[in-house]
Amino acid sequence: MQAKITLAKTAGFCFGVNRAVNMLYDLINKGENICTLGPIIHNPQVINDLNNKGVSILDDINNATKDKKVVIRTHGVEKDVLEYCNFNCLDYIDATCPFVKKIHKIVDKNSSIDMPVLIAGDKNHPEVVGIKSYCSGDCYIFNSYEELDEIFKNNKFNSEKPFIVVSQTTFSIKEWKKCVKKINLLYTNAIIFDTICSATEERQAEALLLSKKNDAMIIIGGRTSSNTAKLKAVCEPNCPTYLIETAKELLDIAFC
Ligand code: F3S
């Protein structure tokens, strides 16, 4: 019997990644000498193609040279990296996703010594590192309901002092809802900005639905991508879920 394969409607690059990748290919077509600050996306196949077209990856902005245009990736960078680029008159293009930029603006405008920030996300992820750099006062990062609980136990949040809550654009919706419920239960003075990207929300919702209706799920994406990791986590409890980067990897899966 032939297996029925359903392609998710939300499959493919999200708006932000698509925008950044198109920007890069436009620059390549114009014959520009380019490098990206870190890999532009978590997709080794695209990175290889870009590499073959002469796009190099810069690991540190301090190593940038004036003969190459620097492209800043969708995750965004720390505030002082942009300041460094401007101060040193580096030629750069900021391909930070507009949804990430919006979080930078929220935090930049609203945080202060008297207005701490809580960020839902992975403290080591470049997007979260970038968001944190816009905080003017205290900043606390949690990746789960349990970690949020720990922060509340150990820090002096109280009902007199307001605070801001934002999230990494790819944070788990399920975990976010649990955390928001807890925050609202404990504090009436929290200013909560739901900054999970709608692309993330739609993908996770569709993946969840499909994983409940199908015998197996294949997630195609980079192994180091936060988005693909979250999709795998959403599907896994419902059916066998495989994360692959290339078609060749399908041969190693024993579908039964
Ligand atoms: Fe993509 Fe931007 Fe959302 S990079 S996942 S559209 S935050």
mmCIF file with all atom_site columns, all heavy atoms in Angstrom, residues 14-17 74 97-100 127 169-170 197-200 227, ligand 1:
data_model
loop_
_atom_site.group_PDB
_atom_site.id
_atom_site.type_symbol
_atom_site.label_atom_id
_atom_site.label_alt_id
_atom_site.label_comp_id
_atom_site.label_asym_id
_atom_site.label_entity_id
_atom_site.label_seq_id
_atom_site.pdbx_PDB_ins_code
_atom_site.Cartn_x
_atom_site.Cartn_y
_atom_site.Cartn_z
_atom_site.occupancy
_atom_site.B_iso_or_equiv
_atom_site.pdbx_formal_charge
_atom_site.auth_seq_id
_atom_site.auth_comp_id
_atom_site.auth_asym_id
_atom_site.auth_atom_id
_atom_site.pdbx_PDB_model_num
ATOM   1   N  N   . CYS A 1 14  ? 10.147 30.998 6.529  1.00 0.00 ? 14  CYS A N   1
ATOM   2   C  CA  . CYS A 1 14  ? 9.226  32.014 7.052  1.00 0.00 ? 14  CYS A CA  1
ATOM   3   C  C   . CYS A 1 14  ? 9.549  33.353 6.364  1.00 0.00 ? 14  CYS A C   1
ATOM   4   O  O   . CYS A 1 14  ? 10.574 33.487 5.689  1.00 0.00 ? 14  CYS A O   1
ATOM   5   C  CB  . CYS A 1 14  ? 9.411  32.150 8.563  1.00 0.00 ? 14  CYS A CB  1
ATOM   6   S  SG  . CYS A 1 14  ? 11.050 32.726 8.996  1.00 0.00 ? 14  CYS A SG  1
ATOM   7   N  N   . PHE A 1 15  ? 8.686  34.333 6.589  1.00 0.00 ? 15  PHE A N   1
ATOM   8   C  CA  . PHE A 1 15  ? 8.846  35.652 5.973  1.00 0.00 ? 15  PHE A CA  1
ATOM   9   C  C   . PHE A 1 15  ? 10.244 36.252 6.219  1.00 0.00 ? 15  PHE A C   1
ATOM   10  O  O   . PHE A 1 15  ? 10.905 36.735 5.298  1.00 0.00 ? 15  PHE A O   1
ATOM   11  C  CB  . PHE A 1 15  ? 7.736  36.584 6.518  1.00 0.00 ? 15  PHE A CB  1
ATOM   12  C  CG  . PHE A 1 15  ? 8.084  38.035 6.509  1.00 0.00 ? 15  PHE A CG  1
ATOM   13  C  CD1 . PHE A 1 15  ? 8.037  38.757 5.322  1.00 0.00 ? 15  PHE A CD1 1
ATOM   14  C  CD2 . PHE A 1 15  ? 8.476  38.687 7.675  1.00 0.00 ? 15  PHE A CD2 1
ATOM   15  C  CE1 . PHE A 1 15  ? 8.379  40.103 5.305  1.00 0.00 ? 15  PHE A CE1 1
ATOM   16  C  CE2 . PHE A 1 15  ? 8.820  40.027 7.660  1.00 0.00 ? 15  PHE A CE2 1
ATOM   17  C  CZ  . PHE A 1 15  ? 8.771  40.740 6.467  1.00 0.00 ? 15  PHE A CZ  1
ATOM   18  N  N   . GLY A 1 16  ? 10.697 36.204 7.489  1.00 0.00 ? 16  GLY A N   1
ATOM   19  C  CA  . GLY A 1 16  ? 11.954 36.863 7.863  1.00 0.00 ? 16  GLY A CA  1
ATOM   20  C  C   . GLY A 1 16  ? 13.165 36.228 7.202  1.00 0.00 ? 16  GLY A C   1
ATOM   21  O  O   . GLY A 1 16  ? 14.059 36.924 6.704  1.00 0.00 ? 16  GLY A O   1
ATOM   22  N  N   . VAL A 1 17  ? 13.180 34.891 7.186  1.00 0.00 ? 17  VAL A N   1
ATOM   23  C  CA  . VAL A 1 17  ? 14.318 34.180 6.588  1.00 0.00 ? 17  VAL A CA  1
ATOM   24  C  C   . VAL A 1 17  ? 14.308 34.384 5.072  1.00 0.00 ? 17  VAL A C   1
ATOM   25  O  O   . VAL A 1 17  ? 15.352 34.639 4.458  1.00 0.00 ? 17  VAL A O   1
ATOM   26  C  CB  . VAL A 1 17  ? 14.276 32.677 6.976  1.00 0.00 ? 17  VAL A CB  1
ATOM   27  C  CG1 . VAL A 1 17  ? 15.245 31.873 6.129  1.00 0.00 ? 17  VAL A CG1 1
ATOM   28  C  CG2 . VAL A 1 17  ? 14.577 32.501 8.451  1.00 0.00 ? 17  VAL A CG2 1
ATOM   29  N  N   . THR A 1 74  ? 18.836 37.366 10.554 1.00 0.00 ? 74  THR A N   1
ATOM   30  C  CA  . THR A 1 74  ? 17.462 37.556 11.047 1.00 0.00 ? 74  THR A CA  1
ATOM   31  C  C   . THR A 1 74  ? 17.347 37.625 12.570 1.00 0.00 ? 74  THR A C   1
ATOM   32  O  O   . THR A 1 74  ? 16.491 38.309 13.093 1.00 0.00 ? 74  THR A O   1
ATOM   33  C  CB  . THR A 1 74  ? 16.535 36.424 10.562 1.00 0.00 ? 74  THR A CB  1
ATOM   34  O  OG1 . THR A 1 74  ? 17.114 35.189 10.907 1.00 0.00 ? 74  THR A OG1 1
ATOM   35  C  CG2 . THR A 1 74  ? 16.317 36.487 9.078  1.00 0.00 ? 74  THR A CG2 1
ATOM   36  N  N   . CYS A 1 97  ? 15.066 40.297 11.303 1.00 0.00 ? 97  CYS A N   1
ATOM   37  C  CA  . CYS A 1 97  ? 13.635 40.168 11.014 1.00 0.00 ? 97  CYS A CA  1
ATOM   38  C  C   . CYS A 1 97  ? 12.874 41.328 11.681 1.00 0.00 ? 97  CYS A C   1
ATOM   39  O  O   . CYS A 1 97  ? 13.123 41.638 12.854 1.00 0.00 ? 97  CYS A O   1
ATOM   40  C  CB  . CYS A 1 97  ? 13.124 38.833 11.539 1.00 0.00 ? 97  CYS A CB  1
ATOM   41  S  SG  . CYS A 1 97  ? 11.354 38.675 11.280 1.00 0.00 ? 97  CYS A SG  1
ATOM   42  N  N   . PRO A 1 98  ? 11.955 41.953 10.974 1.00 0.00 ? 98  PRO A N   1
ATOM   43  C  CA  . PRO A 1 98  ? 11.195 43.075 11.571 1.00 0.00 ? 98  PRO A CA  1
ATOM   44  C  C   . PRO A 1 98  ? 10.477 42.674 12.864 1.00 0.00 ? 98  PRO A C   1
ATOM   45  O  O   . PRO A 1 98  ? 10.284 43.527 13.743 1.00 0.00 ? 98  PRO A O   1
ATOM   46  C  CB  . PRO A 1 98  ? 10.171 43.429 10.485 1.00 0.00 ? 98  PRO A CB  1
ATOM   47  C  CG  . PRO A 1 98  ? 10.775 42.938 9.212  1.00 0.00 ? 98  PRO A CG  1
ATOM   48  C  CD  . PRO A 1 98  ? 11.603 41.745 9.564  1.00 0.00 ? 98  PRO A CD  1
ATOM   49  N  N   . PHE A 1 99  ? 10.134 41.407 13.014 1.00 0.00 ? 99  PHE A N   1
ATOM   50  C  CA  . PHE A 1 99  ? 9.455  40.973 14.254 1.00 0.00 ? 99  PHE A CA  1
ATOM   51  C  C   . PHE A 1 99  ? 10.433 40.978 15.440 1.00 0.00 ? 99  PHE A C   1
ATOM   52  O  O   . PHE A 1 99  ? 10.046 41.219 16.570 1.00 0.00 ? 99  PHE A O   1
ATOM   53  C  CB  . PHE A 1 99  ? 8.836  39.586 14.086 1.00 0.00 ? 99  PHE A CB  1
ATOM   54  C  CG  . PHE A 1 99  ? 7.750  39.541 13.034 1.00 0.00 ? 99  PHE A CG  1
ATOM   55  C  CD1 . PHE A 1 99  ? 7.768  38.599 12.025 1.00 0.00 ? 99  PHE A CD1 1
ATOM   56  C  CD2 . PHE A 1 99  ? 6.723  40.470 13.043 1.00 0.00 ? 99  PHE A CD2 1
ATOM   57  C  CE1 . PHE A 1 99  ? 6.772  38.577 11.049 1.00 0.00 ? 99  PHE A CE1 1
ATOM   58  C  CE2 . PHE A 1 99  ? 5.716  40.457 12.067 1.00 0.00 ? 99  PHE A CE2 1
ATOM   59  C  CZ  . PHE A 1 99  ? 5.744  39.503 11.074 1.00 0.00 ? 99  PHE A CZ  1
ATOM   60  N  N   . VAL A 1 100 ? 11.693 40.706 15.151 1.00 0.00 ? 100 VAL A N   1
ATOM   61  C  CA  . VAL A 1 100 ? 12.714 40.754 16.207 1.00 0.00 ? 100 VAL A CA  1
ATOM   62  C  C   . VAL A 1 100 ? 13.033 42.220 16.537 1.00 0.00 ? 100 VAL A C   1
ATOM   63  O  O   . VAL A 1 100 ? 13.153 42.601 17.705 1.00 0.00 ? 100 VAL A O   1
ATOM   64  C  CB  . VAL A 1 100 ? 14.001 39.985 15.778 1.00 0.00 ? 100 VAL A CB  1
ATOM   65  C  CG1 . VAL A 1 100 ? 15.083 40.093 16.835 1.00 0.00 ? 100 VAL A CG1 1
ATOM   66  C  CG2 . VAL A 1 100 ? 13.689 38.529 15.475 1.00 0.00 ? 100 VAL A CG2 1
ATOM   67  N  N   . GLU A 1 127 ? 19.226 35.477 19.343 1.00 0.00 ? 127 GLU A N   1
ATOM   68  C  CA  . GLU A 1 127 ? 18.085 36.417 19.370 1.00 0.00 ? 127 GLU A CA  1
ATOM   69  C  C   . GLU A 1 127 ? 17.869 36.943 20.792 1.00 0.00 ? 127 GLU A C   1
ATOM   70  O  O   . GLU A 1 127 ? 17.651 38.145 21.001 1.00 0.00 ? 127 GLU A O   1
ATOM   71  C  CB  . GLU A 1 127 ? 16.807 35.722 18.869 1.00 0.00 ? 127 GLU A CB  1
ATOM   72  C  CG  . GLU A 1 127 ? 15.623 36.681 18.843 1.00 0.00 ? 127 GLU A CG  1
ATOM   73  C  CD  . GLU A 1 127 ? 14.287 36.011 18.523 1.00 0.00 ? 127 GLU A CD  1
ATOM   74  O  OE1 . GLU A 1 127 ? 14.251 35.086 17.697 1.00 0.00 ? 127 GLU A OE1 1
ATOM   75  O  OE2 . GLU A 1 127 ? 13.278 36.423 19.124 1.00 0.00 ? 127 GLU A OE2 1
ATOM   76  N  N   . THR A 1 169 ? 10.933 34.997 19.587 1.00 0.00 ? 169 THR A N   1
ATOM   77  C  CA  . THR A 1 169 ? 9.884  34.821 18.558 1.00 0.00 ? 169 THR A CA  1
ATOM   78  C  C   . THR A 1 169 ? 9.507  33.358 18.348 1.00 0.00 ? 169 THR A C   1
ATOM   79  O  O   . THR A 1 169 ? 8.406  33.060 17.909 1.00 0.00 ? 169 THR A O   1
ATOM   80  C  CB  . THR A 1 169 ? 10.346 35.410 17.208 1.00 0.00 ? 169 THR A CB  1
ATOM   81  O  OG1 . THR A 1 169 ? 11.616 34.867 16.888 1.00 0.00 ? 169 THR A OG1 1
ATOM   82  C  CG2 . THR A 1 169 ? 10.408 36.916 17.247 1.00 0.00 ? 169 THR A CG2 1
ATOM   83  N  N   . THR A 1 170 ? 10.428 32.441 18.657 1.00 0.00 ? 170 THR A N   1
ATOM   84  C  CA  . THR A 1 170 ? 10.148 31.022 18.409 1.00 0.00 ? 170 THR A CA  1
ATOM   85  C  C   . THR A 1 170 ? 9.834  30.250 19.696 1.00 0.00 ? 170 THR A C   1
ATOM   86  O  O   . THR A 1 170 ? 9.904  29.026 19.719 1.00 0.00 ? 170 THR A O   1
ATOM   87  C  CB  . THR A 1 170 ? 11.362 30.358 17.706 1.00 0.00 ? 170 THR A CB  1
ATOM   88  O  OG1 . THR A 1 170 ? 12.536 30.655 18.471 1.00 0.00 ? 170 THR A OG1 1
ATOM   89  C  CG2 . THR A 1 170 ? 11.541 30.846 16.296 1.00 0.00 ? 170 THR A CG2 1
ATOM   90  N  N   . CYS A 1 197 ? 6.280  34.930 17.181 1.00 0.00 ? 197 CYS A N   1
ATOM   91  C  CA  . CYS A 1 197 ? 5.990  35.239 15.784 1.00 0.00 ? 197 CYS A CA  1
ATOM   92  C  C   . CYS A 1 197 ? 4.792  34.426 15.292 1.00 0.00 ? 197 CYS A C   1
ATOM   93  O  O   . CYS A 1 197 ? 4.681  33.243 15.617 1.00 0.00 ? 197 CYS A O   1
ATOM   94  C  CB  . CYS A 1 197 ? 7.232  34.912 14.982 1.00 0.00 ? 197 CYS A CB  1
ATOM   95  S  SG  . CYS A 1 197 ? 6.952  34.918 13.249 1.00 0.00 ? 197 CYS A SG  1
ATOM   96  N  N   . SER A 1 198 ? 3.936  35.065 14.493 1.00 0.00 ? 198 SER A N   1
ATOM   97  C  CA  . SER A 1 198 ? 2.746  34.351 14.029 1.00 0.00 ? 198 SER A CA  1
ATOM   98  C  C   . SER A 1 198 ? 3.127  33.164 13.148 1.00 0.00 ? 198 SER A C   1
ATOM   99  O  O   . SER A 1 198 ? 2.434  32.154 13.137 1.00 0.00 ? 198 SER A O   1
ATOM   100 C  CB  . SER A 1 198 ? 1.802  35.291 13.287 1.00 0.00 ? 198 SER A CB  1
ATOM   101 O  OG  . SER A 1 198 ? 2.465  35.817 12.174 1.00 0.00 ? 198 SER A OG  1
ATOM   102 N  N   . ALA A 1 199 ? 4.266  33.265 12.440 1.00 0.00 ? 199 ALA A N   1
ATOM   103 C  CA  . ALA A 1 199 ? 4.700  32.127 11.603 1.00 0.00 ? 199 ALA A CA  1
ATOM   104 C  C   . ALA A 1 199 ? 4.978  30.922 12.508 1.00 0.00 ? 199 ALA A C   1
ATOM   105 O  O   . ALA A 1 199 ? 4.609  29.792 12.204 1.00 0.00 ? 199 ALA A O   1
ATOM   106 C  CB  . ALA A 1 199 ? 5.949  32.499 10.822 1.00 0.00 ? 199 ALA A CB  1
ATOM   107 N  N   . THR A 1 200 ? 5.613  31.182 13.651 1.00 0.00 ? 200 THR A N   1
ATOM   108 C  CA  . THR A 1 200 ? 5.922  30.116 14.608 1.00 0.00 ? 200 THR A CA  1
ATOM   109 C  C   . THR A 1 200 ? 4.628  29.506 15.136 1.00 0.00 ? 200 THR A C   1
ATOM   110 O  O   . THR A 1 200 ? 4.482  28.286 15.218 1.00 0.00 ? 200 THR A O   1
ATOM   111 C  CB  . THR A 1 200 ? 6.710  30.717 15.810 1.00 0.00 ? 200 THR A CB  1
ATOM   112 O  OG1 . THR A 1 200 ? 7.820  31.409 15.301 1.00 0.00 ? 200 THR A OG1 1
ATOM   113 C  CG2 . THR A 1 200 ? 7.143  29.666 16.786 1.00 0.00 ? 200 THR A CG2 1
ATOM   114 N  N   . ASN A 1 227 ? 13.465 26.830 15.565 1.00 0.00 ? 227 ASN A N   1
ATOM   115 C  CA  . ASN A 1 227 ? 12.151 26.555 14.984 1.00 0.00 ? 227 ASN A CA  1
ATOM   116 C  C   . ASN A 1 227 ? 11.919 25.070 14.760 1.00 0.00 ? 227 ASN A C   1
ATOM   117 O  O   . ASN A 1 227 ? 10.882 24.534 15.145 1.00 0.00 ? 227 ASN A O   1
ATOM   118 C  CB  . ASN A 1 227 ? 12.071 27.247 13.607 1.00 0.00 ? 227 ASN A CB  1
ATOM   119 C  CG  . ASN A 1 227 ? 11.219 28.483 13.678 1.00 0.00 ? 227 ASN A CG  1
ATOM   120 O  OD1 . ASN A 1 227 ? 10.237 28.518 14.407 1.00 0.00 ? 227 ASN A OD1 1
ATOM   121 N  ND2 . ASN A 1 227 ? 11.597 29.482 12.916 1.00 0.00 ? 227 ASN A ND2 1
HETATM 122 FE FE1 . F3S B 2 .   ? 10.842 34.026 10.813 1.00 0.00 ? 1   F3S B FE1 1
HETATM 123 FE FE2 . F3S B 2 .   ? 10.986 36.448 11.677 1.00 0.00 ? 1   F3S B FE2 1
HETATM 124 FE FE3 . F3S B 2 .   ? 9.173  34.857 12.559 1.00 0.00 ? 1   F3S B FE3 1
HETATM 125 S  S1  . F3S B 2 .   ? 12.694 35.147 11.173 1.00 0.00 ? 1   F3S B S1  1
HETATM 126 S  S2  . F3S B 2 .   ? 10.071 32.839 12.513 1.00 0.00 ? 1   F3S B S2  1
HETATM 127 S  S3  . F3S B 2 .   ? 9.294  35.625 10.517 1.00 0.00 ? 1   F3S B S3  1
HETATM 128 S  S4  . F3S B 2 .   ? 10.402 36.221 13.753 1.00 0.00 ? 1   F3S B S4  1
#
